Amino acid sequence: MEKILEVKDLKVSFQTYGGTVQAVRGVSFDLHKGETLAIVGESGSGKSVTSQTLMKLIPMPPGQITGGEILFYGDDIVPKSEKEMENIRGKDISMIFQDPMTSLNPTMKVGNQIIEGLIKHQGLSKADAKKRAIKLLELVGIPMPDKRVNQYPHEFSGGMRQRAMIAIALATNPKLLIADEPTTALDVTIQAQILELMKELQAKMDTSIIFITHDLGVVANVADRVAVMYAGQIVEIGTVDEIFYDPKHPYTWGLLASMPSVDNDTKDELAAIPGTPPDLTNPPIGDAFAARNKYALAIDYEEEPPMFQISETHFAKTWLLHPDAPHVEPPAAVKLRQRQMSSNFDKPVIVKEGI
Amino acid sequence: MTEKLLEIKNLKQHFNVGKSNMVKAVDGITFDIYKGETLGLVGESGCGKSTTGRTIIRLYNATDGQVLFNGENVHGKKSTNQLKAFNRKMQMIFQDPYASLNPRMTVADIIAEGIDIHGLAKSKKERMERVYELLETVGLNKEHANRYPHEFSGGQRQRIGIARALAVEPEFIIADEPISALDVSIQAQVVNLMKKLQREKGLTYLFIAHDLSMVKYISDRIGVMYFGKLVELATAEELYSNPMHPYTQSLLSAIPLPDPESERTRQRKTYDPAVHQYSADEKVEMREVRPNHFVFCSEKEFAQYQKEHKS
């Protein structure tokens, strides 16, 4: 499969009164054509900042890319000027935002918001663009598109607005679609429809999607691969099966165990992850998750763990995979779902030393 | 779990009555809440679940119907003192921990507001002791008392909201989407805390939410609402294993499960209210299809459900 995006050791920080917040601390991943990568993590884990940096949407200043490369079809985005970015945004890379209530312009007709990108990037005439806008609204499942195209966002329901957002994002057939919690504000029934729709459109247009969410159910539904972020770093990345059936990082265990499952009727206490995420103005020494991690080893407080490779596609950043580490049992909720992965290496291999 | 704490009878809450844009947010619902239980209320946004909660606690005056709390009507005429006594027994935890705490008040003042109003502390010292105790109960500590809400994270703020609700020693707490605004890992903390408090203090909860897996986990019984009506009411296990109303079935089929394999093969059901084809003279009401399992249906559907779900 063709690689369309390669992010290498990306670092982003923000200058604030309280000091420099290191929001993204060395993130590397790649994305293939037509695949969906889900990024999960708590608020403040850097997942939204990472994705916004891909489009250079973070306000600079106070934001700053302090290191790393973002190769989009081999071309580094980081040094590009605002003017050059305008030719990429909305054309090659599009974004769907979390809140459909606030991310559409309330003073502009929905049709005109779709047309905007078409005229700018594809040089269509106004009449042609409008025809295409109607087609797009139809594609995303909005009834009576020829009427709807002349309506304002307030005349749309929440689910419809999100559909309109998707129509805007897809108008120019982008190669990469970044969806930042696109269904979080929606009801489950509408969410199911939107996810269905996104998968359908992806199959049709072969778009790659970066899907940011904290809902693991949604991840299981849409993702091919999953990256788990914590405190500005990717702590585990692998195929969706590897993350759900053979997770290695204690933080991933914590996430999986803290969700009640609809299938079982246990009323045991949920395995909550204690405490709160660390302050990134002053990231802790060693493993950032150590303070909340009941499996933490002594070395976790001293030295940052390296990235271990478990299979061709599965990586995790925890000392527990080191040959000298004691064997630990994951929480019961994780053990229940654990399976033997045939693609695993005999032993985890260190691929990147900690910094 | 036999004593009724709350009886809601044919409760109606209509807005803009008499105007063309009248909304029947809650349209005649009837259910009971037993002492010490957690009743979950689920449904899409706009189905009236929050309005139901707010009407029960009298944030809105009901258009019609009754809410009996320990046998007394909440919505009846009351003197200021009687109303105060009522408010003490019923408290609410709100959805948005960022908007529901006054940013200009310290945490101590937020929590102690109810204590002051109801005169529950005789001296300043006692008041502060009570605040410290409450902070500890919800997993915060003394030092937090003099801070302001903006210094806290979402999960901590929700804990403050819970401490505030507990301050007046209520019997019944309405939790309106108390965890929707929180992260997954923090959600579990807050839910565990709520369960612990229930065990220790014998609280009764009305838990309003749209996250069905969490609702199932915390609730003893669950009511499903659709367009201002309660369409199904059953114990949590029964509802999930034997959903009868087509709307409940579609709702359950839409929950994404954290399991890639089942996600790949799942079939979603959609609900079309037209399937019922109720004729004008049919009486549609809550009927008990199985013991303690109520479904909003017509006589004909009732017979059909009974046939399908023989136990």
Side-chain angles (χ1 to χ4, degrees):
Chain A
M1 261 197 298
E2 193 187 351
K3 253 187 211 177
I4 73 157
L5 182 77
E6 254 180 287
V7 177
K8 288 183 184 165
D9 202 24
L10 184 69
K11 288 179 183 147
V12 183
S13 55
F14 291 88
Q15 303 293 336
T16 66
Y17 290 115
T20 309
V21 180
Q22 302 172 33
V24 177
R25 304 186 296 143
V27 161
S28 306
F29 63 90
D30 43 27
L31 186 70
H32 301 279
K33 198 170 171 59
E35 114 176 303
T36 303
L37 173 74
I39 303 183
V40 294
E42 286 169 83
S43 11
S45 63
K47 52 190 199 305
S48 288
V49 174
T50 304
S51 63
Q52 283 172 15
T53 309
L54 298 182
M55 273 176 100
K56 291 186 75 174
L57 280 177
I58 51 167
M60 294 194 247
Q64 196 186 358
I65 301 176
T66 48
E69 292 178 317
I70 302 168
L71 301 176
F72 185 62
Y73 281 98
D75 195 9
D76 193 359
I77 286 180
V78 175
K80 283 200 194 304
S81 68
E82 191 61 15
K83 215 157 192 120
E84 290 172 301
M85 281 313 295
E86 278 176 16
N87 289 324
I88 296 177
R89 281 185 206 138
K91 182 173 174 235
D92 295 328
I93 309 180
S94 285
M95 196 151 180
I96 302 173
F97 296 92
Q98 172 169 7
D99 191 351
M101 306 292 164
T102 54
S103 43
L104 292 171
N105 184 340
T107 66
M108 249 173 112
K109 286 177 183 166
V110 170
N112 286 345
Q113 300 190 46
I114 302 175
I115 288 170
E116 218 179 9
L118 288 169
I119 292 177
K120 176 159 173 56
H121 294 303
Q122 298 194 332
L124 295 182
S125 71
K126 208 161 176 204
D128 286 344
K130 190 159 181 182
K131 267 185 216 148
R132 175 115 171 89
I134 293 174
K135 265 232 171 86
L136 280 160
L137 285 178
E138 199 180 351
L139 186 73
V140 295
I142 290 182
M144 296 187 295
D146 41 340
K147 272 211 186 103
R148 289 290 190 172
V149 81
N150 289 321
Q151 287 186 336
Y152 288 94
H154 74 266
E155 297 172 83
F156 281 48
S157 70
M160 297 257 240
R161 280 182 225 189
Q162 199 58 293
R163 282 163 194 263
M165 279 282 293
I166 294 177
I168 294 171
L170 292 176
T172 52
N173 292 330
K175 299 178 177 97
L176 171 61
L177 180 65
I178 300 170
D180 190 353
E181 309 240 10
T183 59
T184 308
L186 305 175
D187 285 313
V188 272
T189 40
I190 313 290
Q191 166 174 289
Q193 291 171 18
I194 298 282
L195 294 179
E196 243 6 88
L197 172 71
M198 285 182 67
K199 281 197 278 191
E200 217 173 278
L201 295 175
Q202 181 182 31
K204 247 185 237 171
M205 302 181 175
D206 211 15
T207 315
S208 309
I209 300 181
I210 294 182
F211 200 107
I212 296 161
T213 178
H214 61 251
D215 185 335
L216 291 169
V218 172
V219 173
N221 184 288
V222 299
D224 298 310
R225 281 194 306 139
V226 184
V228 182
M229 279 193 79
Y230 187 77
Q233 295 175 324
I234 291 181
V235 293
E236 185 161 9
I237 184 166
T239 64
V240 68
D241 286 11
E242 282 165 341
I243 298 295
F244 279 91
Y245 299 133
D246 189 25
K248 296 291 185 198
H249 198 283
Y251 180 63
T252 316
W253 294 348
L255 283 183
L256 288 169
S258 64
M259 283 192 62
S261 133
V262 180
D263 313 323
N264 70 39
D265 290 332
T266 79
K267 294 272 169 184
D268 299 341
E269 186 148 288
L270 290 176
I273 304 176
T276 46
D279 174 12
L280 292 179
T281 42
N282 197 0
I285 298 163
D287 187 350
F289 184 54
R292 301 173 72 189
N293 180 7
K294 66 174 176 184
Y295 302 99
L297 310 169
I299 190 167
D300 276 318
Y301 295 94
E302 289 161 16
E303 209 175 319
E304 197 179 317
M307 194 60 111
F308 287 91
Q309 186 170 14
I310 299 117
S311 77
E312 265 326 309
T313 45
H314 191 182
F315 299 83
K317 194 176 165 69
T318 166
W319 280 118
L320 289 177
L321 293 171
H322 195 272
D324 295 339
H327 180 75
V328 294
E329 290 292 329
V334 174
K335 270 183 88 171
L336 266 177
R337 54 168 79 233
Q338 211 162 30
R339 295 181 197 171
Q340 203 59 45
M341 288 284 150
S342 56
S343 54
N344 280 6
F345 299 160
D346 296 339
K347 263 195 193 110
V349 195
I350 295 186
V351 285
K352 214 176 88 194
E353 284 294 337
I355 317 129
Chain B
M1 215 180 76
T2 41
E3 204 184 328
K4 282 177 192 169
L5 182 69
L6 231 83
E7 287 172 72
I8 288 110
K9 289 185 181 164
N10 195 29
L11 189 69
K12 283 184 188 168
Q13 181 66 55
H14 298 179
F15 296 106
N16 302 328
V17 176
K19 294 191 193 143
S20 60
N21 58 345
M22 178 160 121
V23 178
K24 296 182 174 176
V26 177
D27 198 17
I29 63 172
T30 302
F31 61 92
D32 300 328
I33 302 176
Y34 299 106
K35 224 174 198 132
E37 81 163 343
T38 301
L39 181 76
L41 210 50
V42 296
E44 290 172 54
S45 40
C47 73
K49 56 188 193 303
S50 287
T51 308
T52 304
R54 287 165 171 250
T55 308
I56 289 175
I57 203 171
R58 208 178 166 174
L59 279 174
Y60 301 134
N61 284 319
T63 309
D64 195 13
Q66 279 186 317
V67 179
L68 300 180
F69 184 78
N70 278 334
E72 238 181 295
N73 193 0
V74 175
H75 285 272
K77 268 211 175 108
K78 283 200 184 59
S79 66
T80 326
N81 278 338
Q82 280 173 314
L83 200 61
K84 235 164 111 177
F86 253 114
N87 289 345
R88 218 193 114 179
K89 287 182 202 152
M90 263 196 239
Q91 285 292 313
M92 194 148 177
I93 301 170
F94 295 92
Q95 171 169 12
D96 187 347
Y98 293 88
S100 56
L101 301 178
N102 187 338
R104 296 180 175 210
M105 281 164 86
T106 63
V107 168
D109 289 338
I110 289 172
I111 295 175
E113 201 175 13
I115 299 176
D116 298 342
I117 288 171
H118 295 287
L120 298 178
K122 286 177 198 75
S123 62
K124 265 203 170 132
K125 194 172 156 245
E126 195 187 328
R127 176 179 182 260
M128 281 321 279
E129 262 165 24
R130 190 83 189 96
V131 169
Y132 293 149
E133 199 186 315
L134 284 160
L135 280 172
E136 230 139 83
T137 317
V138 298
L140 297 170
N141 53 47
K142 261 177 151 172
E143 287 81 60
H144 291 132
N146 290 320
R147 297 198 193 158
Y148 287 90
H150 75 264
E151 297 173 67
F152 294 91
S153 67
Q156 286 174 319
R157 282 181 214 214
Q158 205 54 294
R159 286 169 192 269
I160 297 170
I162 294 174
R164 170 174 64 182
L166 290 176
V168 294
E169 291 166 352
E171 292 173 40
F172 176 55
I173 292 183
I174 298 176
D176 190 357
E177 309 244 12
I179 53 167
S180 320
L182 307 175
D183 273 314
V184 201
S185 69
I186 311 294
Q187 283 186 355
Q189 290 178 11
V190 172
V191 166
N192 283 344
L193 172 68
M194 287 183 65
K195 285 204 116 176
K196 189 186 113 207
L197 293 171
Q198 183 170 41
R199 275 197 308 273
E200 288 171 3
K201 299 181 191 288
L203 295 169
T204 306
Y205 290 134
L206 177 66
F207 192 92
I208 301 167
H210 66 257
D211 177 344
L212 290 126
S213 46
M214 210 44 112
V215 172
K216 180 184 180 218
Y217 173 74
I218 196 169
S219 306
D220 300 305
R221 291 189 305 145
I222 297 176
V224 181
M225 280 187 76
Y226 182 74
F227 268 84
K229 296 237 193 302
L230 197 62
V231 296
E232 192 156 357
L233 178 68
T235 60
E237 285 80 24
E238 169 74 10
L239 188 85
Y240 278 80
S241 51
N242 271 321
M244 291 184 200
H245 196 278
Y247 178 68
T248 312
Q249 292 178 351
S250 99
L251 201 61
L252 291 179
S253 80
I255 318 170
L257 301 175
D259 183 349
E261 224 148 69
S262 72
E263 281 305 305
R264 273 174 216 137
T265 53
R266 82 176 311 150
Q267 287 293 319
R268 295 198 198 282
K269 287 184 183 157
T270 46
Y271 173 57
D272 179 5
V275 296
H276 299 296
Q277 292 186 334
Y278 295 132
S279 54
D281 57 336
E282 255 176 320
K283 203 167 177 223
V284 189
E285 57 184 6
M286 290 300 270
R287 295 167 204 263
E288 190 167 11
V289 180
R290 273 165 59 149
N292 288 321
H293 190 151
F294 297 86
V295 185
F296 186 73
C297 58
S298 64
E299 191 73 51
K300 217 163 77 195
E301 284 175 313
F302 177 63
Q304 194 196 332
Y305 289 146
Q306 273 198 321
K307 216 165 79 191
E308 281 171 22
H309 298 274
K310 262 194 197 132
S311 51

